[in-house]
Amino acid sequence: MLSFLFFLSTIRVLLNSNNKYHGEYMSGLSSLLTLSIFNKFSEEEVSIFTQNMELKIYSPSDIIVSTNERVDFLGIVNKGEIEVNIVNKGKKVILGLLKVGEVFGEMSLFDNLSSSANVIAVAECEIWKIKREKITALLENQEKIAIKFYRNLF
């Protein structure tokens, strides 16, 4: 609880100052509020998630997840587009293209299996990542957020 209060006080300082991080925080929070996975979340509830998330930037052709890799995070496409594919008999088979607001790695929240596909950046993209252990702890302690999250996920 103390760390959450510290987080909120830090955000207040950022929001009430001309700090260079103010714009970055507001931009990230604003973009998350528009994503379907956070549908019906309040700004405060989304900010609880952001303290547990990390924004990663990928260049075109960067491998985000490889087949048979253990995935320990949920990914949310914040900007750009990613490709999900498999290689079958030496040929690439595209299973789908994920765009802004779409998620991947959601099954990693429930099992500890390896990825059955590759996930590759098609264009420069931003991916919000939240580790399994962080999301599990968050959802165990925030019942209201957990209900909204699982409803939006599936």
Side-chain angles (χ1 to χ4, degrees), residues 87-151:
V87 177
N88 186 13
K89 297 180 183 177
K91 293 186 179 183
K92 179 170 84 169
V93 177
I94 298 174
L95 301 176
L97 296 173
L98 302 181
K99 299 177 191 280
V100 173
E102 295 187 274
V103 300
F104 62 97
E106 64 275 12
M107 291 311 296
S108 72
L109 300 178
F110 306 105
D111 62 31
N112 197 25
L113 301 176
S114 299
S115 175
S116 58
N118 298 302
V119 179
I120 300 171
V122 173
E124 183 172 304
C125 61
E126 296 177 352
I127 306 293
W128 284 105
K129 289 184 170 185
I130 183 166
K131 297 272 189 180
R132 179 188 311 120
E133 65 270 4
K134 288 190 176 196
I135 201 166
T136 300
L138 172 67
L139 297 178
E140 285 175 352
N141 296 313
Q142 299 282 340
E143 184 178 322
K144 183 179 172 184
I145 291 175
I147 291 168
K148 289 180 185 180
F149 179 77
Y150 285 121
R151 282 184 180 159

Side-chain angles (χ1 to χ4, degrees), residues 18-35:
N18 291 324
N19 190 305
K20 71 176 185 169
Y21 298 109
H22 173 257
E24 292 173 21
Y25 171 77
M26 290 307 293
S27 173
L29 185 59
S30 296
S31 66
L32 284 173
L33 284 166
T34 66
L35 302 181

